[in-house]
């Protein structure tokens, strides 16, 4: 604001408009002098993202948005409204460089990192949609944000961390969500997990493990060749010890690949040994992508796998599958353009 020759207090006004009132159009900021709005808009409020289209499912309570960023890059976010909460799944990269073969985004490769502003804009738009009653169920509040959209969040560490602080800080510094309502996922970028453990945050860490054994994980999650399961578990333990937060172990269940009951038993033993009560397994029925060789496990095998993990003494639940008819698996909509 100083560079624009404007009093510094106007900066706080702008921050409160964006984070508190969820307003990104200076023309609508009535506490700014009319003559200042165009200047502020040109200098401080570039058009970050335009919605190409919304696709709804689950009677409108799941809404996927395809965003076009300033340079034409396409990314996605998904807003899911439940009776007791509203969760937004956001992207941190355009594409992903982790190359997991069963993931639509991983198949596309990495295009670029998103800026912190591009990440936060996804949150602002969803918070405003909830406030204004744009999602069936009347006006409400965005309560949860999960970094489980396109990209590997910890491969865009600095910007993701800036965005997390913007999500959890109270207005006018951020949107004021609870730290415990924010989840950051990773396929196991070990140095970044250790770094995150020391940031003084209490967000939930979700580790996309997908199998407990290195032999299979080397093929399902190629980064495992660099940081094997034992090192991922060490980092997860560090995070749990440093934050007191339970670590969510994400496990996409793939038919005849990683869904064997004995693998469930193996996973349970690994987690009891390495994380104890600080682990929770989140089983994800695979959302197959068109033309993919990968498929979801049959329900009886899914149930047997979950039972095997639970019998080992580890908390284990199955994620609610939302939006399958709208290609809600991350990256599918962007791939279609």
């Amino acid at each position: 604001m100083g560079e624009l020759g404007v009093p510094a207090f106007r900066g706080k006004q702008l921050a409160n408009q964006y984070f508190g009132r969820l307003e990104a159009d200076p023309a609508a900021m009535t506490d700014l002098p009319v003559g200042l709005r165009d200047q502020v808009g040109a200098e401080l409020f570039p058009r970050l993202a335009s919605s190409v289209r919304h696709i709804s499912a689950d009677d409108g309570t799941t809404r996927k948005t395809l965003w076009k960023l300033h340079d034409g890059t396409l990314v996605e976010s998904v807003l899911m409204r439940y009776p007791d909460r509203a969760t937004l799944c956001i992207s941190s990269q355009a594409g992903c460089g982790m190359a997991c073969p069963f993931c639509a985004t991983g198949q596309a490769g990495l295009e670029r990192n998103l800026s912190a502003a591009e990440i936060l804009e996804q949150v602002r738009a969803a918070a405003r949609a909830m406030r204004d009653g744009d999602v069936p169920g009347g006006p409400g509040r965005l309560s949860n944000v999960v970094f489980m959209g396109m990209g590997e969040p910890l491969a865009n560490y600095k910007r993701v961390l800036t965005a997390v602080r913007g999500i959890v800080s109270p207005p006018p510094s951020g949107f004021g969500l609870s730290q415990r309502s924010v989840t950051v996922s990773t396929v196991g970028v070990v140095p970044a997990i250790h770094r995150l453990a020391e940031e003084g945050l209490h967000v939930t860490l979700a580790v996309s493990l997908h199998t407990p054994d290195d032999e299979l994980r080397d093929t399902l999650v190629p980064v495992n060749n660099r940081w094997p399961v034992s090192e991922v578990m060490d980092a997860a333990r560090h995070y749990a010890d440093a934050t007191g937060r339970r670590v969510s172990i994400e496990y996409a269940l793939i038919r005849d690949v990683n869904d064997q009951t004995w693998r469930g038993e193996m996973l349970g033993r690994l987690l009891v040994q390495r994380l104890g009560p600080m682990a929770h397994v989140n089983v994800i029925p695979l959302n197959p992508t068109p033309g993919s060789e990968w498929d979801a496990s049959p329900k009886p095998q899914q149930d047997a796998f979950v039972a095997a993990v639970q019998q080992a003494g580890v908390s284990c639940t199955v994620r609610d599958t939302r939006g399958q008819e709208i290609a809600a698996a991350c990256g599918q909509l962007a791939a279609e353009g």
Side-chain angles (χ1 to χ4, degrees), residues 30 46 56 58 61 76 84 113 142 149 161 163 197 224 275 293 296-297:
T30 53
S56 296
D58 307 308
T61 58
E76 304 165 14
D84 60 338
N113 286 326
L142 180 67
L161 191 72
N224 195 73
L275 284 172
E293 63 185 275
S297 295

Side-chain angles (χ1 to χ4, degrees), residues 232-251:
V232 174
M233 287 295 103
D234 285 344
R237 181 82 222 189
H238 178 198
Y239 191 85
D241 289 343
T243 63
R245 300 302 313 279
R246 198 164 63 161
V247 175
S248 180
I249 303 297
E250 308 293 298
Y251 200 106

Side-chain angles (χ1 to χ4, degrees), residues 260-270 305 308-309 311-312:
Q260 300 88 351
T261 305
W262 64 264
R263 267 206 172 86
E265 296 167 351
M266 186 184 197
L267 176 65
R269 289 195 302 271
L270 172 73
F305 183 91
V309 176
Q311 284 165 13

Side-chain angles (χ1 to χ4, degrees), residues 178-296:
S178 164
Q179 291 192 26
R180 294 173 178 268
S181 299
V182 176
T183 299
V184 177
S185 71
T186 178
V187 294
V189 182
V190 165
I193 297 173
H194 286 298
R195 189 176 170 190
L196 187 63
E198 299 301 322
E199 295 286 358
L201 291 167
H202 291 85
V203 299
T204 299
L205 176 70
V207 176
S208 298
L209 196 65
H210 302 316
T211 186
D213 53 308
D214 284 321
E215 184 177 11
L216 179 58
R217 198 167 191 267
D218 283 349
T219 63
L220 291 182
V221 186
V223 77
N224 195 73
N225 289 277
R226 188 169 179 185
W227 297 297
V229 171
S230 61
E231 292 185 27
V232 174
M233 287 295 103
D234 285 344
R237 181 82 222 189
H238 178 198
Y239 191 85
D241 289 343
T243 63
R245 300 302 313 279
R246 198 164 63 161
V247 175
S248 180
I249 303 297
E250 308 293 298
Y251 200 106
L253 213 57
I254 309 171
R255 182 177 194 144
D256 299 332
V257 175
N258 66 349
D259 64 347
Q260 300 88 351
T261 305
W262 64 264
R263 267 206 172 86
E265 296 167 351
M266 186 184 197
L267 176 65
R269 289 195 302 271
L270 172 73
L271 295 177
V272 165
Q273 178 186 355
R274 303 302 293 273
L275 284 172
M278 302 302 283
H280 170 79
V281 176
N282 185 23
V283 169
I284 306 164
L286 188 74
N287 198 343
T289 57
S292 172
E293 63 185 275
W294 313 92
D295 200 2

